[in-house]
Amino acid sequence: MAANTVTPVTPVLPAPAGPAAPPGPGTSAEAAPKLGLPLPVLHATVLDWYAANARELPWRTPDASPWAVMVSEFMLQQTPVKRVLPVWETWMERWPTPADLAAEAPGEAVRMWGRLGYPRRALRLHGAAVAITEKHGGEVPEDHATLLSLPGVGEYTAAAVASFAFGQRHVVLDTNVRRVFARAVTGAEYPAQATTAAERRTATALLPAADRTAATWAVAVMELGALVCTARSPECGDCPLFTSCAWQRAGRPPYEGPARRGQIYEGTDRQVRGKLLAVLREAHDEVPQARLDEVWPDAVQRARALDGLVADGLVEPVEQGVYRLPR
């Protein structure tokens, strides 16, 4: 873990120096389920680990704007940090505020998104920027419910922005957090494929009571899952919860649920869509069908992928056989 050890940088949320706040409403002060640790000890253990091991990321700095945090959360969905960083930096340089992005055509957001994947996120982020500019005076709203009302903002993103940008107390459940809780609390190698009510109850029970401590806890558990409690090769010996982890104490039983499907890319419609979008991004103008036909030999699959891009609003037909990014 030495390579990952940096000075902790969090979004105006420094990890507390002493014991964490007492457990939140409705939680037990005795011990976290199956962990054998009093909750204040559990919180302090994870928060101390985070203070020593957190990656230095630009959207975690004290001066990072709520917009910077929101952009990072859109980009980080299903995408690793190392791929997001250069795109985020270029994006924030060009569009440092929601109003800056809202003033441009949605196709420019798709162009700037580059090869991050799942480009509909770019359209949704543009839609959120327009709504923030038109309805909220250009400022990312603090209220969780208002965040949820923005285009493209779901429960996870609303909770993450409210927590990381504004220091509020919310359950933030991404893949990394769910995996940490599955192993440490329930003794399973992996969580269910879809978030369950039981997971939400567990996450709520473990949430510290104080807002800012809870917000730091949310990012700390996420970081633990990203750096140590990884999906394929967990570094259990480096985990601060090693001796109390339910999965470890059970002998690390293998996953027995439904088959976990890997992300296949080669030869899929996703790959074809990416190739078609690459031509349109680089063109900066209208593109004839003949240029798009060059990217993939299977005409049926190519047509299906192009139709999907049009249906998703990522590509606009200008006239018969001519296409462009949306304006």
Side-chain angles (χ1 to χ4, degrees):
M1 287 300 297
N4 289 320
T5 301
V6 297
T7 302
V9 181
T10 54
V12 297
L13 302 171
T27 63
S28 168
E30 295 301 320
K34 293 191 178 181
L35 276 167
L37 287 176
L39 283 179
V41 175
L42 169 65
H43 295 154
T45 299
V46 173
L47 292 170
D48 287 348
W49 173 88
Y50 179 70
N53 294 277
R55 289 170 292 182
E56 186 173 347
L57 300 173
W59 48 84
R60 289 182 181 168
T61 60
D63 61 348
S65 68
W67 172 242
V69 174
M70 174 174 278
V71 171
S72 76
E73 288 302 330
F74 269 79
M75 290 184 173
L76 286 166
Q77 294 167 26
Q78 304 181 71
T79 309
V81 165
K82 65 181 180 181
R83 289 186 60 203
V84 165
L85 265 172
V87 181
W88 182 92
E89 288 170 348
T90 305
W91 187 289
M92 292 305 300
E93 183 177 346
R94 180 172 176 179
W95 299 312
T97 70
D100 293 321
L101 176 57
E104 300 243 21
E108 288 306 301
V110 176
R111 194 188 314 281
M112 184 67 77
W113 198 260
R115 296 184 177 276
L116 275 185
Y118 304 100
R120 277 178 288 182
R121 291 180 292 170
L123 288 182
R124 291 167 181 160
L125 185 50
H126 183 274
V130 171
I132 291 168
T133 302
E134 294 180 349
K135 300 179 181 179
H136 304 288
E139 300 292 334
V140 175
E142 293 188 34
D143 178 65
H144 179 268
T146 307
L147 285 166
L148 267 176
S149 72
L150 297 174
V153 175
E155 174 56 40
Y156 165 79
T157 303
V161 173
S163 294
F164 305 152
F166 300 110
Q168 297 175 16
R169 182 180 187 270
H170 293 282
V171 168
V172 183
L173 277 177
D174 80 337
T175 302
N176 289 315
V177 174
R178 295 179 63 223
R179 188 170 56 252
V180 170
F181 288 162
R183 290 173 179 168
V185 180
T186 66
E189 184 178 14
Y190 297 114
Q193 293 190 11
T195 305
T196 66
E199 285 181 277
R200 292 197 176 279
R201 287 194 296 270
T202 295
T204 301
L206 297 180
L207 199 61
D211 283 0
R212 291 193 175 275
T213 305
T216 308
W217 162 262
V219 72
V221 177
M222 192 177 295
E223 193 79 332
L224 184 62
L227 299 183
V228 176
C229 194
T230 59
R232 295 184 180 178
S233 303
E235 300 287 344
C236 295
D238 293 330
C239 182
L241 300 179
F242 178 78
T243 58
S244 55
C245 172
W247 185 54
Q248 193 67 232
R249 289 189 288 118
R252 295 178 55 160
Y255 176 74
E256 295 181 349
R260 299 177 66 81
R261 298 176 182 174
Q263 291 282 352
I264 300 172
Y265 184 71
E266 293 296 323
T268 63
D269 284 4
R270 263 191 73 210
Q271 184 182 20
V272 184
R273 285 164 61 102
K275 288 181 175 293
L276 293 170
L277 270 181
V279 173
L280 289 153
R281 283 199 309 269
E282 294 163 7
H284 291 273
D285 204 349
E286 298 172 356
V287 175
Q289 180 77 55
R291 288 181 61 188
L292 297 176
D293 289 346
E294 295 171 359
V295 306
W296 197 258
D298 186 332
V300 173
Q301 187 178 23
R302 189 177 64 240
R304 182 171 65 241
L306 182 57
D307 287 346
L309 290 170
V310 172
D312 290 341
L314 290 162
V315 173
E316 285 183 353
V318 180
E319 56 186 56
Q320 183 65 35
V322 180
Y323 300 88
R324 69 185 181 198
L325 293 179
R327 294 183 181 175

